[in-house]
Amino acid sequence: MNRASLFVPLGVFVLILTLGYVGFDLGARSELPSALINKPFPEFNARLLGRPEQSITRDDLLGQPTLVNVWATWCPTCLSEHEQLMQIAATTDVQIVGVNYKDRPDKALRWLAQFGNPYRWVLDDRDGLLGIEMGVYGAPETFLLDARGEVVYKRVGDINPRIWRSELAPRLLQLGVSIAGSDADGARQP
Amino acid sequence: MILARPGRWIVGRLILALLALSSASACFAVSQIDTFEFSDEVQERRYRALIDEFRCPKCLNTNLAGSDAPIAQDLRKVVYRLVVIEAKADQEVRDYLQVRYGDFVLYDPPFNARTWYIWVVPIGLGLLGVFVILGLQRRVTGQRTVLDSSQQARLRSIVQGTAAADADGTAGAKNPETKS
């Protein structure tokens, strides 16, 4: 009995180690929950990139699922996810809207001309005010909105093939988006 | 004319050096301190207190005042706009940021379904510590009352026995040099 109680400090020590290990692991930045999940996407009225005479509002996004992708030319991760976005645009019928965040319009337009344009619209958010409404704190960030304009999912960081397969494609299917290709066949199986 | 040349040269160098210094410090000033204008001291104090209070969403543990991240600069502008231009109350500023960036921006988190444990766990651990200390104390006092008269007699004989043995030991160890 006495001898067993000698191991209590060791047990406490291991407990502290475990808590610390798990705790530091929890600190992963992408786990930060968005304040917008299951809430309506904020109201906005934003000019279109390269077409400043034209602007769209939140109402223009309603009626179908929408991916809102926050990007900028100064953001290298945005370039690395661009190919994936192009592929989503090519193989699905989800509407993709870009938010050009704290960027220069001329650079952004050149970027789209060079690497392709997966977006139905690109909003010009050069001062980052729309970003603040959305709770954006970096780029890239991607929001998935349902047809009623509610945010069902947010990804901080790039949309890579792994995220697409495990998190985005299943949610798009759930929202009734049709996806062409083998990925979708795999995801459609229950 | 010949004498004036090195003089001019030194003056030119000095001006260049001063320019370089001032532009360097200007860079620091731009990145560290925002040039906001306040109409009165209360406003400025409120602004400073608020940017001290919020956590920068980009950095794990820096407040808005202490962060150089672009988002922190933007949010400082937002706080300035809300406090000075839109004349919002402190709580309205807090709500504004919380709605957009979540509880994360508040260093003083609210008590709700998602955050209860960070409030409860320290209190629970404190209580546990109190119970452990109380338990240990009771065990110590409990042992103190256990000895009856016969046990005390035995204890006394043991103590005396060791005292005698100690006396032998010290006597034996008096000349350790002879052994080594």
Side-chain angles (χ1 to χ4, degrees), chain A residues 1 27 29 32-33 35 101-102 127 129 131-138, chain B residues 57-60 70-71 74-75 78 81 96 98-102 104 114:
Chain A
M1 145 91 202
R29 298 296 290 120
L32 184 70
Y101 177 64
K102 301 190 72 173
D127 44 16
L129 291 180
I132 285 173
E133 293 301 312
M134 294 159 66
V136 168
Y137 57 88
Chain B
K58 186 78 184 169
C59 348
L60 267 184
I71 186 64
D74 287 354
L75 290 181
V78 167
R81 194 187 74 215
Y96 183 95
Q98 193 187 355
V99 162
R100 286 158 183 77
Y101 286 92
F104 185 86
R114 217 167 47 80

Side-chain angles (χ1 to χ4, degrees), chain B residues 6 47 55 60 79 83 85 93 118 120 124 143:
Chain B
Y47 166 78
R55 172 152 62 163
L60 267 184
V79 172
V83 168
I85 296 165
V93 179
I118 55 176
V120 168
Q143 277 172 355

